[in-house]
Amino acid sequence: MAIAPGKLLLFGEHAAVQGYPAVGVPLPLTVSFEVGPWVGQKFPGIPIKYHEALGRMIQAVRQRAPGVASPAEEEAVLSFLIRSELPLGAGFGSSGALATAAAKF
């Protein structure tokens, strides 16, 4: 399992886009990226419009992570659970937290 926090920029958010400093803090809300013994993919609480993109990301992880079985293999299939406490599309870093958790995995 790998988890990563979100972020909250207190001020300077627009300046940060231009390469200037901003003041921010990590949010205690997290995105977790877990592997389990079930078959399939689970995205509890994440809107369905994001499921296809998450599935593509999982396929990329499967191709690059040694020892993680793919659905085409006869051996036990490991599946992924992505759970987010961060609001999606609200500027709290949910995409960055997901990418960080996947990279940590």
Side-chain angles (χ1 to χ4, degrees):
M1 177 174 148
I3 59 174
K7 54 97 177 152
L8 175 63
L9 293 177
L10 301 175
F11 60 87
E13 180 175 356
H14 295 286
V17 174
Q18 302 299 321
Y20 294 99
V23 175
V25 294
L27 287 177
L29 301 174
T30 60
V31 170
S32 66
F33 192 89
E34 306 169 40
V35 173
W38 58 84
V39 175
Q41 305 170 159
K42 298 180 182 183
F43 311 124
I46 297 178
I48 197 160
K49 68 181 182 177
Y50 297 107
H51 289 199
E52 183 181 339
L54 291 172
R56 286 194 309 268
M57 185 192 77
I58 286 170
Q59 287 303 103
V61 169
R62 278 195 166 114
Q63 291 172 0
R64 290 168 179 80
V68 177
S70 72
E73 297 173 351
E74 293 296 322
E75 61 194 69
V77 175
L78 296 177
S79 291
F80 294 83
L81 169 65
I82 297 173
R83 183 184 347 246
S84 179
E85 297 173 333
L86 293 167
L88 305 178
F92 292 113
S94 60
S95 297
L98 176 60
T100 300
K104 285 181 176 180
F105 175 77

